[in-house]
Amino acid sequence: KRLILIGPPGSGKGTQSPLIKEDYCLCHLATGDMLRAAVAAKTPLGVKAKEAMDKGELVSDDLVVGIIDEAMKKPSCQKGFILDGFPRTVVQAEKGTKIDKVLNFAIDDSILEERITGRWIHHSSGRTYHTKFAPPKVPGVDDVTGEPLMQRKDDTAAVLKSRLEAFHRQTEPVIDYYDAKGVVAQLPAEKPPKEVTVEVQKVLSS
Ligand code: AP5
Ligand code: ZN
């Protein structure tokens, strides 16, 4: 299966991805995770991407299409993939390959600030927690490795505003683009994580 997960910041794309990945043995390509790794490693790509990311703006199409093309060459991605956070502009969508299903994480903006400001992540594994909705066993500590959790630099209320603006202006047209091809499925992303998972399974088995 070739899947795209699309939705605003905090809608649950990164939370649902590992579960879909396990069920269907697909590779998970999250452009946000790849870009954050490049920023942390201070690679030339990371240096170019950092400014836009810190401001909550989109990184240029060329850079992002480049990292996705490179990542999709991996043997593990040949039988199917989950694109999480890509494409985010119509230009990116036009450059992409054929897609079987687009999961649209539909959710009201008003819910997202609480989700974003309460998120904690385990950097090396990408595991995500939430102080209220998915707390770790010990506050501030990863359940599996015992390593410290951290917050993303762009997870502030102020930067969220720009990220949401970018979503509505640049990414919502991508949903219309795929809707015209008849491949979009709506998910009730405001429901609790387990209920969203059930909805994802329904869509993918139909
Ligand atoms: P990216 O990393 O993709 O960030 P995003 O799209 O803003 O999405 P998030 O990761 O914030 O949300 P999510 O849906 O994964 O939420 P999660 O599941 O973690 O991109 C970051 C930046 O990189 C961009 O701003 C841009 O600069 C750049 N970039 C990336 N891709 C690009 C591209 N293609 N083109 C150009 N630039 C690009 O959930 C959030 C929290 O809520 C967690 O704490 C979680 O535990 C909790 N939660 C999840 N689901 C639920 C639920 N159902 N109920 C209650 N709580 C929940
Ligand atoms: Zn994410």
Side-chain angles (χ1 to χ4, degrees):
K1 278 192 164 48
R2 288 160 298 187
L3 310 175
I4 288 177
L5 309 191
I6 206 162
S11 56
K13 306 179 295 292
T15 300
Q16 299 297 327
S17 288
L19 309 165
I20 307 173
K21 179 181 164 159
E22 263 175 47
D23 279 1
Y24 292 89
C25 268
L26 303 174
C27 80
H28 173 214
L29 301 176
T31 40
D33 292 348
M34 295 187 242
L35 289 166
R36 275 185 291 282
V39 169
K42 297 196 170 72
T43 65
L45 167 74
V47 172
K48 283 187 203 145
K50 185 175 188 305
E51 200 188 327
M53 292 178 77
D54 286 349
K55 287 196 283 193
E57 292 169 4
L58 295 187
V59 172
S60 78
D61 290 332
D62 287 349
L63 284 185
V64 180
V65 170
I67 56 172
I68 276 286
D69 282 351
E70 195 53 43
M72 296 236 279
K73 287 183 196 153
K74 279 190 283 189
S76 61
C77 294
Q78 300 316 308
K79 61 176 184 173
F81 48 77
I82 308 163
L83 297 177
D84 164 0
F86 180 95
R88 254 177 158 92
T89 64
V90 173
V91 172
Q92 291 177 16
E94 284 167 344
K95 290 190 175 166
T97 49
K98 200 182 158 293
I99 293 300
D100 299 312
K101 214 42 149 197
V102 175
L103 302 177
N104 179 19
F105 285 65
I107 189 165
D108 196 83
D109 282 6
S110 60
I111 303 178
L112 299 172
E113 184 175 322
E114 188 181 24
R115 287 209 191 165
I116 286 292
T117 54
R119 169 164 56 188
W120 287 81
I121 55 171
H122 176 240
H123 189 76
S124 57
S125 70
R127 265 185 294 280
T128 299
Y129 300 87
H130 191 283
T131 46
K132 184 165 159 192
F133 305 123
K137 291 187 187 114
V138 179
V141 174
D142 178 45
D143 287 353
V144 179
T145 61
E147 288 166 2
L149 300 177
M150 47 181 285
Q151 286 192 290
R152 267 168 55 176
K153 203 177 170 202
D154 59 348
D155 276 353
T156 62
V159 179
L160 173 63
K161 280 212 179 86
S162 336
R163 290 160 64 194
L164 279 173
E165 241 175 68
F167 176 77
H168 291 302
R169 192 162 49 88
Q170 294 167 281
T171 308
E172 261 171 359
V174 177
I175 300 171
D176 300 334
Y177 171 91
Y178 287 112
D179 221 9
K181 299 183 189 293
V183 292
V184 177
Q186 304 288 334
L187 290 176
E190 76 288 347
K191 289 190 175 175
K194 287 205 174 84
E195 291 180 35
V196 178
T197 304
V198 171
E199 296 295 328
V200 169
Q201 286 163 345
K202 271 191 214 159
V203 169
L204 295 184
S205 62
S206 67

